[in-house]
């Protein structure tokens, strides 16, 4: 069974459209892209989903960082789990800021790339995101 959209190995999914149930044959990626979004978590501030982020690499607003932080930085959970075992638990805010700082570092390297490429639009967008993120980090510490 192959995906009717892209031809990769697929599964059957039941979907409901207009009150009628029907079956579609799609790979998980196409299923997510076509039908997964209505159930996806959305940033309460700008309405962006994590799928949007994965596609564009850009977050909609500064609140997205907090809302999607688990998805953004799955490795952080392991780090926090590790500290829990040793009994050395950093402050809750420290953990949260750590995630935000990682994301900001990632954005900064992308900004440098954009500047090198001479992509002003992208540099502007990333700059705005970094600014928003910095404000979030400062807000978290206040
Ligand atoms: Zn597919
Ligand atoms: Zn947002």
């Amino acid at each position: 069974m192959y995906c009717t959209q892209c031809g990769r190995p697929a599964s059957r999914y039941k979907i409901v459209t207009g009150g009628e149930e029907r079956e579609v044959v799609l790979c998980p990626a196409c299923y997510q892209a076509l039908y997964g979004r209505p159930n996806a978590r959305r940033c309460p501030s700008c309405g962006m989903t994590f799928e949007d982020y994965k596609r564009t690499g850009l977050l909609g607003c500064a609140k997205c960082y907090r809302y999607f932080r688990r998805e953004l930085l799955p490795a952080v959970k392991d780090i926090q789990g590790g500290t829990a075992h040793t009994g050395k638990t950093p402050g809750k805010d420290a953990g949260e800021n750590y995630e935000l700082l990682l994301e900001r570092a990632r954005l900064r390297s992308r900004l440098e790339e954009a500047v090198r490429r001479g992509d002003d639009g992208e540099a502007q967008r990333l700059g705005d995101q970094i600014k928003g993120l910095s404000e979030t980090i400062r807000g978290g510490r206040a």
Side-chain angles (χ1 to χ4, degrees):
M1 188 158 42
Y2 294 99
C3 177
T4 52
Q5 298 290 315
C6 73
R8 282 181 293 196
S11 322
R12 276 183 212 285
Y13 293 94
K14 280 196 196 314
I15 57 154
V16 179
T17 48
E20 272 181 46
E21 192 180 85
R22 64 188 179 97
E23 274 192 353
V24 292
V25 177
L26 293 169
C27 70
C30 288
Y31 174 75
Q32 269 303 317
L34 291 170
Y35 303 109
R37 297 188 61 200
N39 298 322
R41 293 171 64 223
R42 283 174 187 281
C43 170
S45 178
C46 70
M48 208 191 76
T49 66
F50 191 63
E51 289 301 310
D52 293 333
Y53 171 72
K54 280 198 290 195
R55 218 176 27 252
T56 62
L58 293 168
L59 289 170
C61 71
K63 288 209 171 82
C64 290
Y65 294 107
R66 282 178 180 277
Y67 193 67
F68 294 118
R69 65 178 187 273
R70 278 176 209 288
E71 291 92 334
L72 283 168
L73 297 158
V76 171
K77 248 190 280 180
D78 296 336
I79 295 165
Q80 287 175 339
T83 57
H85 287 298
T86 65
K88 286 180 203 160
T89 311
K92 206 177 161 200
D93 290 346
E96 201 161 274
N97 276 329
Y98 175 69
E99 298 171 37
L100 295 168
L101 289 166
L102 279 182
E103 174 66 6
R104 186 169 64 174
R106 200 181 66 84
L107 283 173
R108 279 200 171 132
S109 63
R110 288 188 48 184
L111 174 61
E112 280 167 26
E113 274 173 38
V115 171
R116 262 200 298 276
R117 279 202 311 272
D119 187 340
D120 289 345
E122 174 84 347
Q124 173 85 48
R125 270 197 303 278
L126 288 166
D128 286 349
Q129 286 201 351
I130 291 166
K131 191 160 157 264
L133 185 53
S134 297
E135 279 161 14
T136 304
I137 291 168
R138 275 200 299 276
R141 276 179 184 159

